[in-house]
Amino acid sequence: MINKKLEAVFLDRDGTIGGDDKVHYPNDFKLFTNSKKNIDYLKQFVQVFSFTNQPGISLGEASKEDFYKELMGFGFDDVFLCPHHHKEGCKCRKPSTGMLKEATYKYQLNLNNCVVIGDRWSDMVAASKTNSVKILVKTGAGMSTLHDHFEKLKEIELDFVAENLTEAVNWISNRYHLS
């Protein structure tokens, strides 16, 4: 049994709520079955945020506005987005913690009381740096993360490895006694 209060859940986009292990721009991105239902379920209890690296924005291949519109349409309470390419050296791109810290400031969150769900090692490293609960899903790049990027996770103790978002949400519901 856990006594901590759950304050928010952060969901990665590509490979976690839909798509696959590649980036798909708005209008080409498809949610997984039950992702919207899972977002809506969590929103009954906590704030639910999207946090996503989208380097195609800095390359002029997509716009921030298109991503915000898409993600808010899926029901997120807010969207935290890094538009930078990994070579730009920003502080927001996962595995850096900039997006999580921005949410902390904007919503007065204690990240110790938040959950991060993602399919990539960079999601788990960002969560670890902020002492958030870390759930890796095996969808998208999740299996590759477990097998090919094991070295990047060796210092990190994942709280749960889920087959998919639904299993992750069920784990959260049981752990935090949501009902």
Side-chain angles (χ1 to χ4, degrees):
M1 181 155 132
I2 188 139
N3 293 333
K4 289 167 95 175
K5 179 184 185 315
L6 180 62
E7 294 182 33
V9 175
F10 291 85
L11 295 172
D12 172 59
R13 179 183 180 267
D14 299 287
T16 301
I17 64 167
D20 49 37
D21 64 345
K22 306 207 178 6
V23 173
H24 295 274
Y25 295 126
N27 300 322
D28 291 328
F29 182 79
K30 303 288 184 244
L31 282 178
F32 293 140
T33 303
N34 293 328
S35 287
K36 175 80 169 101
K37 180 177 159 185
N38 285 312
I39 292 166
D40 292 343
Y41 171 77
L42 288 171
K43 283 181 58 173
Q44 295 177 74
F45 308 101
V46 296
Q47 294 177 326
V48 181
F49 303 120
S50 173
F51 84 130
T52 181
N53 291 341
Q54 294 299 334
I57 294 169
S58 70
L59 301 172
E61 297 171 357
S63 73
K64 271 187 176 181
E65 294 75 23
D66 289 340
F67 280 101
Y68 280 110
K69 182 179 176 186
E70 173 197 71
L71 291 163
M72 292 302 286
F74 295 154
F76 286 101
D77 291 305
D78 205 345
V79 174
F80 297 91
L81 187 146
C82 172
H84 306 106
H85 190 271
H86 72 275
K87 294 178 182 174
E88 292 181 61
C90 68
K91 295 187 186 308
C92 54
R93 184 177 175 79
K94 298 178 274 182
S96 294
T97 59
M99 290 184 279
L100 296 172
K101 288 181 178 176
E102 180 184 349
T104 299
Y105 176 76
K106 187 172 181 180
Y107 291 97
Q108 304 302 303
L109 299 172
N110 177 344
L111 289 171
N112 294 325
N113 299 330
C114 295
V115 173
V116 170
I117 304 174
D119 67 320
R120 295 186 181 269
W121 67 268
S122 55
D123 301 318
M124 298 301 99
V125 171
S128 179
K129 289 178 181 178
T130 61
N131 203 29
S132 299
V133 173
K134 300 159 291 303
I135 300 177
L136 179 76
V137 290
K138 292 182 182 178
T139 53
M143 292 302 291
S144 172
T145 294
L146 286 171
H147 300 292
D148 302 335
H149 299 285
F150 181 76
E151 279 297 308
K152 294 174 181 165
L153 295 176
K154 70 179 179 180
E155 303 291 321
I156 296 173
E157 185 176 332
L158 299 175
D159 293 285
F160 187 62
V161 176
E163 291 295 323
N164 54 41
L165 182 60
T166 298
E167 188 175 49
V169 169
N170 288 338
W171 184 86
I172 291 168
S173 182
N174 290 330
R175 180 172 182 183
Y176 292 94
H177 306 288
L178 305 181
S179 56

